[in-house]
Amino acid sequence: MKRVGIRDVAARAGVSISTVSNALNRPEQVSAALGARIRTIADDLGYVPLHAARQLRAGRSGLLGMTVINIANPFFAELVAGAEDAAAAAGLSILVGNASDDAARESHHLELFDRVQVEGALVSPFGDPSPGIARLRARGVPVVMVDAVDDAGILPSVSFDDVAGGRLAAEHLLACGRRRLAFVGAREEVRQVRERLAGTRAAVAQVAGATVEPIWTRRTTSETGIAFGAEIAARDAASRPDGIVTSNDHLAIGLVHGLLSHGVRVPEDIAVVGYDDIEFAAIATVPLTSIRQPAREMGRRAAELLLAAIAGEAPPSDPAVVYAPELIARASTGSG
């Protein structure tokens, strides 16, 4: 069905478009009888005012934009939920752009944010978002980095100490007596993954005879984890790792399933540590040891920084908020 517009209401009422607009938005400018007649006609026709257009005429969209790497990962879903908590409290909505591990899609979302005139943007980058960020900032739109830092030190950011997280995961495996570690993660160009591997390598370097083997994946889904679990299980026992750090819990849960399906015991043969501590980690077939990130709190804090910038408040003395990791030990490493 064709959407009923203000022109349809005006034609039915036999008045001008401006008179209909006044009756609906500035009723004091028309007579009470005419206003009541126009509103009745609008209701009968099913006319719904275009809120977005009205907001833009007032100089604001009522929208924040937010890009995330892949919302299929519960970590990013929680990140968005936290941001929405803060936005809703301020009477704003969030337009979410899911990059789905694709830099081109991320760029498209940032262009869209510019076109719809978001009031501010939260960017959790997959690729290099700097061109899109530059366009937004040129229009005076505040930007806050989420789960990342601004290397130039200009933009406020809310991030996680991923080097410390990778180190904590590896130290736990080393303390469990594991010496042949593997790091299974997405492409190394993703900053978070690169830093987690750096932390893993730093811990391994402190223990004589310990090694770490990077194993790169194109995606970090549970299905990918199952496939890599099967590949690792197919190796002879001497060439398998005896401890694995993964770049997220989805990958880790799939990896455990793949190992178990091919006769490799977890944790007796291979201990596994995930990352993010999603809700399902605690109730997996083998409850998963994981590095906990306070995703919802991070999203909320990032949105609060953005709202303060939109309101014109002075930026904080330290624009970079960094959360510390916490290891939650469970059965996948013989704990809990």
Side-chain angles (χ1 to χ4, degrees):
M1 293 179 62
K2 177 178 176 290
R3 183 186 180 97
V4 175
I6 195 170
R7 292 179 184 276
D8 301 305
V9 178
R12 175 71 65 87
V15 298
S16 68
I17 291 174
S18 61
T19 299
V20 175
S21 178
N22 285 337
L24 298 177
N25 301 309
R26 294 170 292 278
E28 71 281 358
Q29 295 189 18
V30 300
S31 70
L34 179 58
R37 186 167 74 86
I38 289 173
R39 286 191 293 274
T40 298
I41 290 170
D43 288 342
D44 289 345
L45 292 175
Y47 171 69
V48 178
L50 287 175
H51 175 74
R54 189 160 57 200
Q55 289 281 79
L56 288 173
R57 284 195 296 272
R60 58 177 306 195
S61 66
L63 290 173
L64 305 179
M66 184 172 187
T67 66
V68 294
I69 293 175
N70 195 329
I71 205 161
N73 183 336
F75 168 77
F76 292 108
E78 281 293 295
L79 207 65
V80 170
E84 286 183 328
D85 288 343
L92 300 175
S93 299
I94 293 184
L95 178 61
V96 179
N98 176 29
S100 193
D101 299 326
D102 186 330
R105 286 182 64 169
E106 178 179 74
S107 177
H108 167 76
H109 294 318
L110 291 171
E111 290 176 8
L112 175 64
F113 294 166
D114 190 30
R115 291 199 301 272
V116 302
Q117 299 182 31
V118 296
E119 297 185 36
L122 300 164
V123 178
S124 179
F126 174 75
D128 176 11
S130 54
I133 290 174
R135 281 194 301 272
L136 291 168
R137 296 191 70 229
R139 195 165 57 78
V141 177
V143 176
V144 172
M145 304 294 284
V146 192
D147 194 34
V149 295
D150 176 27
D151 292 334
I154 297 171
L155 301 176
S157 64
V158 174
S159 64
F160 188 75
D161 190 340
D162 281 302
V163 174
R167 184 172 59 246
L168 193 59
E171 286 175 345
H172 176 68
L173 289 171
L174 294 165
C176 293
R178 311 300 166 133
R179 292 296 180 267
R180 300 188 311 277
L181 304 192
F183 179 92
V184 181
R187 291 168 281 188
E188 194 173 9
E189 61 264 32
V190 179
R191 179 201 60 82
Q192 296 93 324
V193 175
R194 187 169 62 248
E195 292 186 355
R196 291 168 195 178
L197 175 58
T200 299
R201 282 176 164 153
V204 167
Q206 298 301 308
V207 177
T211 60
V212 58
E213 172 195 1
I215 300 175
W216 299 115
T217 72
R218 295 296 296 175
R219 301 185 69 82
T220 55
T221 63
S222 55
E223 291 80 5
T224 302
I226 291 171
F228 274 86
E231 289 184 17
I232 291 170
R235 299 182 186 182
D236 62 85
S239 65
R240 291 178 196 149
D242 59 9
I244 298 176
V245 178
T246 63
S247 64
N248 73 28
D249 285 345
H250 264 185
L251 191 60
I253 290 168
L255 188 71
V256 170
H257 180 81
L259 292 170
L260 294 174
S261 297
H262 291 80
V264 177
R265 299 172 301 167
V266 177
E268 292 86 354
D269 300 323
I270 301 178
V272 178
V273 179
Y275 211 100
D276 295 336
D277 194 35
I278 64 174
E279 183 178 4
F280 189 66
I283 57 173
T285 302
V286 180
L288 184 67
T289 294
S290 187
I291 300 297
R292 176 174 290 172
Q293 296 194 80
R296 195 166 190 131
E297 168 62 19
M298 289 169 65
R300 183 190 62 77
R301 183 71 181 114
E304 288 174 347
L305 289 175
L306 185 61
L307 292 169
I310 292 170
E313 297 179 15
S317 55
D318 184 356
V321 177
V322 181
Y323 286 82
E326 178 186 4
L327 183 130
I328 308 300
R330 299 191 181 99
S332 69
T333 56
S335 307

